[in-house]
Amino acid sequence: MQLGPCLRRAFFERPCLQVAPDLIGAILVRTLPSGFRLLGRIVDVEAYLGDGRDPASHSHRGPTPRNRSMFGPPGRLYAYRSYGIHTCVNLVCEPEGSGAAVLLRAVEPLAGFAEMRRLRGLPRDRADRLLANGPGKLAQALDLDLSWDGASVLRGPVQVRGPRTGAPRPDIGRSGRVGISKGTRLAYRFFERRSPWTGPAPRATTAGRAAPAGADS
DNA sequence: CCAAAGATCTACT
DNA sequence: GTAGATCTTTGGG
């Protein structure tokens, strides 16, 4: 099995609600300074819109020092500090200036288990499924911190590649986003169904049907 | 200026 | 299930 091609700028330049589900099954490739590669298959993401109507989006009130890379060119990272402790990583979408991005919530580790475990500081007796089943854990497992804010994923030490060739199409579920208090009714979370590697179970998984977008909680 | 909330995670009861 | 860590951003006086 080989990895698909590195995703190009045109992929990220589309509406983030189209990009988000297309990222499920894609491969995150992190090449460490030593040349060692960490691979994770994306299984859980959330879209954050830039049109000013998404109250949970960091871009909701326009550009600030923290979120400026959200308004930059697509195909780059938006990394921010969460709760003063953790790093969370997004992929910037849509044309430059839009302020839209997709939060990476969980990956299924494919290679570099031992290194991810070391980066996470996990004891030996903790399950592999805890390696990257949350946005903060994912960033730590892939050795991504705030210094990666604005970095391109079109080439370089962090890349997003298409699904493995011959891989079956993932069964994608859609639900409300988690960990937020505003805009919880917007069904902007996309995840692989029945994957043991995703974050918390969705509040209201729709049976493959999207909840209406445009309404707020 | 001060207070509070926040796209989280871990440890402990 | 709840508390605490830790700090940036935001909103009110």
Side-chain angles (χ1 to χ4, degrees):
Chain A
M1 281 290 200
Q2 291 221 338
L3 298 182
C6 192
L7 300 182
R8 297 187 300 190
R9 176 177 167 131
F11 174 89
F12 296 102
E13 202 149 29
R14 298 175 299 146
C16 65
L17 283 175
Q18 290 180 30
V19 173
D22 287 349
L23 282 171
I24 301 299
I27 310 296
L28 200 53
V29 182
R30 168 76 168 105
T31 306
L32 297 177
S34 65
F36 191 79
R37 278 185 163 182
L38 306 175
L39 267 60
R41 181 172 167 271
I42 298 170
V43 294
D44 195 356
V45 301
E46 282 175 357
Y48 286 87
L49 275 49
D51 62 6
R53 290 187 300 177
D54 180 358
S57 177
H58 285 178
S59 64
H60 185 227
R61 294 168 207 280
T64 68
R66 177 177 69 161
N67 68 16
R68 68 187 156 70
S69 50
M70 267 187 106
F71 293 89
R76 296 194 185 181
L77 298 178
Y78 163 47
Y80 71 94
R81 188 174 299 290
S82 175
Y83 289 88
I85 301 176
H86 309 289
T87 301
C88 294
V89 175
N90 296 253
L91 297 172
V92 177
C93 297
E94 307 192 10
E96 183 168 355
S98 299
V102 175
L103 171 69
L104 300 178
R105 288 200 63 92
V107 298
E108 169 186 349
L110 296 179
F113 281 75
E115 184 65 7
M116 290 187 196
R117 179 171 288 269
R118 187 189 69 76
L119 286 162
R120 288 269 292 113
L122 280 190
R124 301 209 160 204
D125 60 337
R126 309 307 292 281
D128 281 343
R129 62 184 301 279
L130 302 176
L131 282 174
N133 64 336
K137 302 175 193 178
L138 182 157
Q140 191 178 27
L142 295 178
D143 199 26
L144 297 173
D145 61 21
L146 288 189
S147 68
W148 291 92
D149 183 46
S152 172
V153 299
L154 306 181
R155 45 182 294 157
V158 183
Q159 292 183 6
V160 181
R161 291 177 172 271
R164 293 180 156 195
T165 55
R169 272 192 191 281
D171 183 6
I172 299 173
R174 181 172 180 174
S175 75
R177 297 171 292 189
V178 292
I180 56 174
S181 59
K182 301 171 198 164
T184 56
R185 217 179 129 183
L186 301 170
Y188 293 169
R189 183 188 186 195
F190 300 87
F191 55 94
E192 181 175 40
R193 281 207 174 89
R194 292 180 298 282
S195 169
W197 304 99
T198 61
R203 295 198 183 92
T205 306
T206 55
R209 199 58 63 189
D216 193 358
S217 59

